């Protein structure tokens, strides 16, 4: 193998490229990115960049000298448009074709949008964050559509800048499907305490030049609108490739893309990592696609190592997913697979104090934990329990208090 192409120049793609070089691979390494910027960090976009605390110059993941040391064929500002598995080539928007012996797909996701003629912001790229930051002023009326973690973080920052914020959410309790009803209600109260107008159980049908239109015809007026209603994996360029896609690039436990009518045959030297990869996580026994910064870096490294390894030497990618969110003065941390849980219970602290650890049960095992206002070291102890497949009874005990 002499030529590897990594499509996607963000955290997962850069981590893959670095892992290849660390493993001693010295062939031609091409890194493709559709944005004109060198790989940069995305979590600060909705926090430090949007608030103006950070300048754009702080975002690059590596200084230029470190990128130079990787000896990359760096193709920035041009997107991949097609993949030919038979001839093992990637076609770019400028019509150039890149031959490969190994391929890592790390093309990430793009924001979902709403219909309508009115201009609305999204928040995925550096340009998105800078454009919204330019418009946020004291007294500005901002409507945020979607009270997930991204929308909630942006709402918190906007309030800190003096904007008047309305947060619209179709669910009765934001994030209840992921973190549980009681924890979701706590997060609601934090926003209400900071002066956000939170409206739940409302659906937005589109964006207008006056704000947004709800499904019942009401118009919620705004100077600026931020749409934060989730994302879509960037897989359109793979449409005619033969790779199966379904909420991401479908991969096995080694992060290798699968193909064939029953998804049993491997694509051959094609791996995926980061937000675009939907792979089987053997630790939880389920396929998952994770849109978190830590997972992107870890999966990029795992995909690179497995690409280089002999088939029998590959290692399953079986992480305990981790994410964090900063809202006002509140740090939220979570380990594990919280979605689809069967039970949630507070095992330490108290929700009313906004300092607690909540444990999540799926089946008979501890599936994950979420903590607010707790030192990272204490939360990491719970991570070890999740990684060890500890049973619910062993972790929580019959009285609902922590034993792990």
């Amino acid at each position: 193998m002499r030529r590897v192409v990594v499509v996607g120049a963000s955290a997962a793609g850069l981590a893959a490229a670095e892992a290849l070089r660390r493993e001693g691979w010295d062939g031609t390494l091409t890194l493709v990115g559709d944005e004109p910027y060198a790989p940069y960090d995305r979590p600060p976009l909705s926090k430090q960049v949007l608030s103006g605390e950070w300048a754009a110059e702080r975002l690059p993941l590596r200084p230029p000298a470190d990128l130079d040391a990787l000896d990359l064929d760096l193709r920035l500002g041009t997107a991949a448009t097609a993949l030919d598995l038979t001839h093992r080539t990637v076609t770019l928007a400028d019509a150039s074709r890149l031959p490969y012996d190994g391929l890592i797909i790390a093309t990430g996701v793009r924001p979902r949008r709403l219909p309508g003629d009115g201009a609305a912001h999204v928040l995925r790229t550096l340009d998105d964050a800078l454009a919204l930051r330019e418009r946020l002023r004291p007294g500005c009326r901002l409507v945020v559509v979607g009270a997930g973690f991204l929308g909630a973080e942006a709402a918190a920052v906007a309030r800190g800048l003096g904007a008047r914020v309305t947060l619209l959410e179709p669910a009765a309790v934001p994030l209840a499907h992921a973190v549980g009803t009681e924890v979701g209600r706590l997060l609601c109260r934090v926003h209400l305490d900071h002066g956000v107008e939170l409206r739940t159980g409302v659906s937005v049908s589109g964006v207008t030049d006056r704000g947004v239109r709800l499904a019942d015809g009401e118009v919620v007026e705004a100077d600026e609108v931020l749409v934060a209603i989730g994302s879509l994996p960037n897989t359109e360029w793979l449409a005619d490739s033969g790779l199966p896609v379904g909420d991401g690039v479908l991969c096995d436990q080694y992060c290798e893309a699968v193909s064939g009518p029953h998804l049993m045959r491997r694509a051959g030297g094609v791996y995926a990592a980061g937000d675009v990869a939907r792979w089987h996580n053997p630790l939880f026994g389920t396929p998952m696609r994770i849109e978190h910064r830590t997972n992107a870096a870890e999966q990029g490294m795992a995909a690179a190592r497995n690409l280089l390894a002999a088939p029998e030497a590959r290692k399953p990618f079986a992480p305990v997913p981790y994410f964090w969110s900063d809202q006002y003065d509140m740090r939220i941390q979570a380990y594990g697979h919280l979605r689809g849980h069967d039970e949630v219970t507070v095992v330490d602290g108290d929700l009313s104090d906004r300092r607690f650890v909540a444990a999540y049960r799926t089946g008979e095992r501890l599936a994950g934990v979420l903590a607010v206002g707790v030192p990272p070291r204490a939360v990491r102890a719970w991570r070890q329990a999740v990684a060890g497949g500890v049973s619910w009874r062993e972790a929580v005990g019959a009285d609902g208090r922590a034993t792990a």
Side-chain angles (χ1 to χ4, degrees):
M1 184 167 64
R2 297 304 307 163
R3 298 169 297 188
V4 172
V5 173
V6 179
V7 184
S10 194
L14 178 61
E18 291 180 327
L20 289 168
R21 294 306 194 205
R22 276 197 306 270
E23 293 295 316
W25 188 78
D26 60 359
T28 300
L29 179 53
T30 302
L31 181 62
V32 178
D34 61 348
E35 293 185 70
Y37 309 113
Y40 63 87
D41 211 10
R42 295 189 190 276
L45 295 179
S46 59
K47 308 175 190 65
Q48 293 92 341
V49 173
L50 189 59
S51 69
E53 180 183 349
W54 284 16
E57 290 73 21
R58 288 190 62 175
L59 286 182
L61 290 167
R62 300 291 181 270
D66 288 0
L67 287 181
D68 291 342
L70 293 173
D71 190 24
L72 298 174
D73 173 19
L74 198 55
R75 308 288 186 97
L76 298 178
T78 181
T81 57
L83 169 63
D84 186 332
L85 291 175
T86 301
H87 297 96
R88 303 176 78 85
T89 60
V90 172
T91 302
L92 304 185
D94 61 7
S96 61
R97 293 187 178 183
L98 303 175
Y100 69 85
D101 301 309
L103 172 66
I104 297 176
I105 298 170
T107 44
V109 296
R110 67 188 182 282
R112 294 180 181 270
R113 295 180 180 268
L114 286 169
D117 297 329
H121 297 271
V122 292
L123 191 48
R124 173 66 184 175
T125 69
L126 173 58
D127 289 343
D128 293 336
L130 294 177
L132 179 56
R133 176 66 186 90
E134 179 66 24
R135 305 294 297 178
L136 292 180
R137 295 286 186 273
C140 166
R141 298 173 302 171
L142 173 69
V143 166
V144 180
V145 184
F149 283 110
L150 178 64
E153 288 175 355
V157 169
R159 282 298 298 139
L161 294 172
R164 297 157 53 191
V165 179
T166 301
L167 189 54
L168 305 177
E169 168 61 38
V173 179
L175 293 168
H177 65 289
V179 303
T181 300
E182 291 306 311
V183 176
R185 286 174 178 160
L186 164 67
L187 301 180
C188 288
R189 289 196 294 273
V190 172
H191 286 286
L192 294 172
D193 289 348
H194 283 83
V196 171
E197 180 185 357
L198 175 63
R199 298 180 60 178
T200 60
V202 295
S203 296
V204 177
S205 61
V207 180
T208 76
D209 55 3
R210 295 169 51 200
V212 299
R213 178 175 289 108
L214 304 185
D216 63 5
E218 177 189 354
V219 173
V220 180
E221 295 191 352
D223 301 310
E224 306 295 334
V225 175
L226 171 63
V227 176
I229 56 174
S231 58
L232 295 168
N234 289 322
T235 58
E236 287 73 19
W237 67 286
L238 302 170
D240 298 322
S241 67
L243 281 185
V245 295
D247 188 32
V249 178
L250 304 185
C251 302
D252 63 15
Q253 63 182 339
Y254 304 106
C255 304
E256 186 169 16
V258 294
S259 63
H262 302 293
L263 307 184
M264 296 297 291
R265 181 166 58 86
R266 298 194 303 272
V270 178
Y271 287 74
D275 298 0
V276 75
R278 184 172 181 82
W279 93 104
H280 180 81
N281 186 335
L283 180 61
F284 296 91
T286 187
M288 55 180 64
R289 187 175 65 80
I290 304 294
E291 295 184 24
H292 301 312
R293 169 69 173 81
T294 302
N295 184 79
E298 292 177 348
Q299 195 167 27
M301 291 186 286
R305 290 168 183 155
N306 284 336
L307 172 63
L308 294 179
E312 66 277 7
R314 297 184 305 168
K315 295 181 179 180
F317 182 57
V320 176
Y322 168 73
F323 74 86
W324 77 94
S325 178
D326 293 323
Q327 298 174 32
Y328 308 105
D329 58 352
M330 184 172 63
R331 165 58 67 96
I332 304 166
Q333 304 173 78
Y335 283 103
H337 186 53
L338 276 54
R339 290 177 181 270
H341 61 267
D342 299 313
E343 180 182 354
V344 56
T345 186
V346 174
V347 295
D348 187 24
D350 192 280
L351 289 175
S352 62
D353 295 334
R354 297 178 185 174
R355 184 189 179 282
F356 64 90
V357 176
Y360 295 76
R361 176 181 66 82
T362 300
E364 299 303 320
R365 68 167 290 175
L366 173 69
V369 294
L370 181 144
V372 172
V374 174
R377 180 180 299 178
V379 188
R380 285 195 292 269
W382 281 94
R383 178 201 176 280
Q384 295 173 359
V386 176
V390 170
S391 72
W392 181 253
R393 180 172 291 273
E394 182 182 355
V396 174
D399 62 355
R401 305 308 292 179
T403 60

